[in-house]
Amino acid sequence: MARIVMKFGGTSMAGTERIRRVANIVRAQAAKGDEVAVVVSAMAGETDRLVNFCREANALYDPAEYDVVVASGEQVTSGLLALTLQAMGCRARSWLGWQVPIKTDDAHAKARIEEIDAPALIAAMQSGQIAVIPGFQGVTPDGRVTTLGRGGSDTSAVAVAAAVKADRCDIYTDVDGVYTTDPRIVAKARKLKNVTYEEMLELASVGSKVLQTRSVSLAMKEKVRVQVLSSFVDENAPDADSLPGTMIVSDEELAKISQEGLDMERQLITGIAADKNEAKITLTRVADRPGAVAAIFGPLAAASINVDMIIQNIAKDKGETDVTFTVPKADLLRAQTLLEERKEAIGYFRLIADDKVAKISVVGVGMRSHAGVAATMFKALADRGINVQAISTSEIKISVLIDADETELAVRVLHSAYELDAAA
């Protein structure tokens, strides 16, 4: 017997027929004798609909009331799934965020989970009851409803799994695992059997949309084993223990798997990710003096605008330099306005903005012990005439900024260059 937390996304919960399919998957897991909790998202498109209602009601809406509205989408699906499970003869009930409770800070619309009081939930699971929990929501110390930000149901599921000390957290999505890249771009992309937390965190942060970045970070911190599976399977399909998904584990567990010969096809590079939600800003002729760069990035940080790639050219004889960096495309206008208001204080000549760029990243723990990964990347792109505008690196990742129109070509070229294509 195991303790399993199962999470189903919006596309899996989009209507009564799909909810019935989800209920069948949950029932099959519980029928094995496992203790089961289920975390659900709102129906596909429902959160967007609720957000629009808030904007129509008040363009400058109160974030606390916004949370009350948008959290209702998950409340509906949790109740419907519990009802459907009951109709199938299962013992099930819904637990809203304040009933568990899932305690968060008071940063409405982007709250962070601080603690989950799990004893009552664990007792219910041990009694054979299936707990159905709405994702994306929690409660403040003073009893106000909060939401965790878009994609927050993944984080809810991992947090619940950590709180109840689950053996595994199964994330059911519209894909059947983590691939070496987007299969819609590269038809020969391979599904990965195992990925480390660090690799998945990097992939999630640079454009892979399989899991929310915060959920992976939390899984790594709490050592929660996460499995990515497809919810779009036949009702008679085998249970999650038999389905071929992708397991996200620690470096130590992956090393053990490799030693036992269970992952002989492990590659130097795990995957290629692409992100078109980037914008580039260049400030020309910035004074080359102490404090000049701080004058640029300090105000951006204060405005909660994340800066990614940063390039500062070598200063010329005139004591001036150009500074180039990237921000999320959604924050470009705010960043421009902020920097233009501070033009004299910063001391730059011209601001050049470009939102027609894309970030391409190669990720893999094998980079730690192998040379030549960057050289392969740059040569492959150069051979196809793709110009690199900026570069950033970490221990297991190399990212480059290119023209957005060349995104798919770059992904295909790199996927082949690192020999990630699946066998015919």
Side-chain angles (χ1 to χ4, degrees):
M1 183 181 73
R3 183 174 293 166
I4 308 294
V5 173
M6 311 169 76
K7 183 266 176 179
F8 294 89
T11 52
S12 304
M13 304 297 293
T16 53
E17 284 303 314
R18 290 190 178 179
I19 291 175
R20 190 171 291 112
R21 183 190 294 268
V22 165
N24 273 306
I25 296 172
V26 174
R27 179 177 63 172
Q29 192 72 48
K32 295 180 56 186
D34 292 337
E35 297 173 5
V36 176
V38 188
V39 176
V40 296
S41 297
M43 294 184 187
E46 181 65 10
T47 302
D48 287 336
R49 189 177 75 92
L50 295 171
V51 169
N52 286 333
F53 282 151
C54 291
R55 289 171 176 161
E56 289 172 6
N58 184 348
L60 300 174
Y61 53 73
D62 175 4
E65 298 304 335
Y66 165 95
D67 279 352
V68 172
V69 175
V70 298
S72 66
E74 281 75 12
Q75 178 172 326
V76 170
T77 49
S78 60
L80 289 174
L81 180 56
L83 287 170
T84 306
L85 286 165
Q86 290 170 2
M88 293 178 173
C90 300
R91 289 183 58 221
R93 66 152 283 191
S94 62
W95 295 71
L96 300 187
W98 60 270
Q99 292 173 318
V100 175
I102 299 172
K103 299 177 181 178
T104 73
D105 59 22
D106 59 0
H108 287 281
K110 52 183 177 182
R112 302 189 75 85
I113 296 174
E114 294 183 337
E115 181 186 5
I116 296 180
D117 285 343
L121 191 61
I122 292 172
M125 295 170 68
Q126 289 175 332
S127 73
Q129 184 184 87
I130 299 171
V132 185
I133 304 164
F136 178 59
Q137 65 175 244
V139 61
T140 66
D142 62 352
R144 294 301 301 267
V145 172
T146 57
T147 61
L148 310 183
R150 300 307 291 264
S153 292
D154 286 349
T155 301
S156 297
V158 172
V160 168
V164 303
K165 295 179 170 55
D167 296 279
R168 194 177 69 231
C169 179
D170 290 340
I171 307 286
Y172 286 83
T173 70
D174 53 1
V175 296
D176 60 349
V178 180
Y179 281 74
T180 49
T181 196
D182 189 338
R184 292 168 298 182
I185 298 177
V186 181
K188 290 185 177 181
R190 289 186 299 106
K191 185 168 66 177
L192 300 163
K193 294 178 183 178
N194 302 286
V195 179
T196 69
Y197 293 127
E198 286 181 284
E199 289 172 325
M200 194 65 237
L201 188 59
E202 292 284 16
L203 286 168
S205 69
V206 295
S208 175
K209 297 177 176 62
V210 177
L211 292 176
Q212 187 204 42
T213 305
R214 279 171 61 187
S215 70
V216 183
S217 179
L218 182 60
M220 181 165 64
K221 175 177 175 287
E222 300 293 336
K223 295 181 171 57
V224 175
R225 300 173 79 245
V226 177
Q227 183 174 212
V228 178
L229 299 159
S230 173
S231 61
F232 295 95
V233 295
D234 295 331
E235 292 184 4
N236 297 322
D239 57 55
D241 298 310
S242 305
L243 289 173
T246 298
M247 189 70 75
I248 302 167
V249 296
S250 65
D251 282 351
E252 294 77 14
E253 183 172 346
L254 184 60
K256 182 179 178 181
I257 290 170
S258 299
Q259 287 171 4
E260 293 174 351
L262 300 178
D263 196 9
M264 297 300 291
E265 296 182 359
R266 184 74 183 160
Q267 299 273 348
L268 167 64
I269 298 300
T270 299
I272 315 289
D275 186 2
K276 290 186 177 181
N277 296 311
E278 295 279 321
K280 181 178 70 170
I281 294 176
T282 298
L283 301 181
T284 66
R285 293 172 57 183
V286 177
D288 183 33
R289 55 176 171 75
V293 174
I296 298 171
F297 297 116
L300 295 175
S304 299
I305 298 174
N306 292 326
V307 175
D308 186 12
M309 300 178 169
I310 301 174
I311 296 175
Q312 181 173 345
N313 296 332
I314 298 173
K316 305 294 189 295
D317 294 336
K318 294 181 180 179
E320 297 175 338
T321 185
D322 293 344
V323 178
T324 297
F325 55 93
T326 61
V327 297
K329 188 180 291 187
D331 289 331
L332 176 60
L333 184 57
R334 280 202 307 138
Q336 283 183 264
T337 302
L338 201 61
L339 293 170
E340 286 168 353
E341 288 174 350
R342 290 164 173 75
K343 183 174 182 179
E344 288 189 16
I346 296 170
Y348 65 87
F349 177 66
R350 190 157 65 107
L351 185 155
I352 305 169
D354 182 5
D355 62 359
K356 300 296 191 295
V357 294
K359 180 169 64 178
I360 310 295
S361 305
V362 298
V363 176
V365 292
M367 291 187 196
R368 290 174 176 158
S369 55
H370 291 77
V373 175
T376 298
M377 182 182 201
F378 301 145
K379 183 178 187 305
L381 295 175
D383 287 347
R384 297 305 296 266
I386 299 172
N387 185 48
V388 173
Q389 303 178 26
I391 304 166
S392 69
T393 65
S394 74
E395 190 178 20
I396 64 168
K397 177 196 72 178
I398 303 172
S399 297
V400 297
L401 201 68
I402 64 170
D403 190 285
D405 291 339
E406 298 175 320
T407 302
E408 294 190 3
L409 173 60
V411 170
R412 293 191 186 100
V413 165
L414 293 173
H415 201 266
S416 295
Y418 291 109
E419 300 180 349
L420 296 176
D421 292 347

